[in-house]
């Protein structure tokens, strides 16, 4: 112990040293973990990305990792805007039929970033997991199924759609992160969206209810599959 102490340098002397900053970056970059965060084992994630989609898509995955690491100390509002902007810049819209030859497929963030493509559910899931990794509590985030008005303000035509909602408090009006538009807007300004139900890893809510009505993994098999698959890809639920 005495030999160890004699070889140590006070952290105060290293506070502004590049090496210390680099070491701290490596600690957070390898595993994003703290009490409120959804930890991601990036060694596993990057290895699987390389195996499934090749080194070119590993670059995109590393960019995602860097964005998360660099956003750790931002405010929640800043984190929301940064994450929303990241996926707006790095993904393009594709239907499940075009991408997966299935009518409805929920992709993991690894699959979505690996393809660089996805539909509304894929955008919402990737943003949800990103914000959970940044320490935003699960109680503040819900994946929301809506009926989206299409064809203009006077149209009565709608289609099924998914967005991500951020709630400052349980009864607050959420901010909406959407794949249809790049702006993050309060729900009151999204008159083109009508909520049907919402969920996260803790509960499932009907319409605008404040009490969960079911276990989301029991009722939503695709959500259960997402949680099980992302565990294998390095997301430590």
């Amino acid at each position: 112990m005495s030999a160890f102490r004699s070889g140590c340098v006070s952290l105060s002397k290293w506070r502004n040293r590049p090496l210390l900053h680099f070491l701290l970056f490596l600690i957070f970059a390898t595993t994003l973990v703290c009490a409120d965060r959804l930890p991601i084992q990036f060694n596993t994630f990057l290895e699987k990305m390389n195996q499934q989609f090749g080194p070119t898509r590993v670059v995109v995955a590393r960019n995602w990792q860097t964005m998360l690491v660099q956003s750790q100390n931002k405010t929640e509002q800043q984190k929301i805007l940064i994450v929303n902007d990241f996926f707006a810049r790095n993904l393009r819209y594709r239907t499940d039929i075009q991408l997966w030859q299935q009518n409805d497929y929920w992709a993991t963030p690894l699959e979505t970033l690996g393809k660089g493509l996805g539909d509304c559910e894929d955008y919402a899931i990737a943003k949800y997991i990103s914000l959970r990794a940044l320490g935003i509590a699960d109680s503040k985030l819900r994946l929301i199924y809506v009926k989206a008005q299409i064809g203009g303000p006077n149209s009565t035509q709608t289609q099924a759609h998914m967005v991500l909602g951020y709630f400052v408090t349980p009864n607050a009006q959420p901010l909406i992160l959407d794949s249809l538009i790049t702006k993050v807007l309060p729900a009151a300004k999204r008159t083109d969206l009508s909520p049907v139900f919402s969920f996260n890893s803790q509960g499932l809510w009907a319409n605008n209810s404040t009490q969960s009505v079911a276990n989301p993994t029991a009722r939503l098999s695709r959500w259960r599959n997402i949680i099980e698959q992302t565990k294998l890809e390095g997301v430590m639920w």
Side-chain angles (χ1 to χ4, degrees), residues 58-77:
V58 170
V59 174
V60 179
R62 286 193 182 278
N63 290 341
W64 181 52
Q65 176 187 15
T66 299
M67 179 273 291
L68 294 176
V69 171
Q70 292 179 345
S71 303
Q72 292 296 311
N73 295 321
K74 303 290 186 180
T75 66
E76 289 191 352
Q77 299 278 340

Side-chain angles (χ1 to χ4, degrees), residues 8-199:
C8 287
V9 179
S10 170
L11 278 177
S12 63
K13 295 181 180 179
W14 283 84
R15 192 167 291 137
N16 296 316
R17 300 291 182 88
L19 177 60
L20 180 60
H21 290 173
F22 178 68
L23 291 174
L24 290 173
F25 175 87
L26 287 181
I27 292 170
F28 286 108
T30 302
T31 305
L32 291 171
V33 58
C34 94
D36 294 326
R37 291 192 176 103
L38 185 64
I40 299 175
Q41 295 284 353
F42 274 102
N43 288 340
T44 299
F45 190 89
L46 294 170
E47 180 182 354
K48 288 188 175 294
M49 180 66 78
N50 187 55
Q51 291 171 352
Q52 295 182 38
F53 299 101
T56 302
R57 303 312 298 175
V58 170
V59 174
V60 179
R62 286 193 182 278
N63 290 341
W64 181 52
Q65 176 187 15
T66 299
M67 179 273 291
L68 294 176
V69 171
Q70 292 179 345
S71 303
Q72 292 296 311
N73 295 321
K74 303 290 186 180
T75 66
E76 289 191 352
Q77 299 278 340
Q78 289 172 324
K79 290 174 180 178
I80 287 165
L81 295 176
I82 290 169
V83 166
N84 193 65
D85 178 69
F86 177 86
F87 288 105
R89 288 186 292 104
N90 285 278
L91 297 183
R92 289 178 294 149
Y93 185 86
R94 286 291 187 279
T95 66
D96 287 332
I97 287 290
Q98 293 171 318
L99 195 55
W100 302 104
Q101 293 75 54
Q102 297 184 36
N103 288 325
D104 192 14
Y105 181 83
W106 292 13
T108 67
L110 188 142
E111 292 171 320
T112 300
L113 289 172
K115 293 279 191 180
L117 304 165
D119 71 352
C120 58
E121 291 98 346
D122 306 330
Y123 275 81
I125 290 166
K127 292 174 186 179
Y128 168 83
I129 289 178
S130 297
L131 291 172
R132 290 288 293 111
L134 285 173
I136 294 183
D138 200 32
S139 59
K140 292 185 175 183
L141 297 170
R142 292 189 199 174
L143 298 130
I144 308 173
Y145 252 120
V146 300
K147 291 181 180 178
Q149 182 184 33
I150 57 176
N154 298 319
S155 173
T156 58
Q157 187 177 2
T158 63
Q159 67 179 21
H161 184 54
M162 184 186 283
V163 298
L164 179 65
Y166 164 75
F167 299 74
V168 176
T169 63
N171 297 323
Q173 174 188 167
L175 293 175
I176 302 299
L177 292 76
D178 193 354
S179 59
L180 294 176
I181 63 173
T182 56
K183 285 186 177 180
V184 176
L185 296 174
K189 291 190 175 181
R190 294 303 308 274
T191 56
D192 57 320
L193 305 179
S194 301
V196 180
F197 69 90
S198 60
F199 63 97

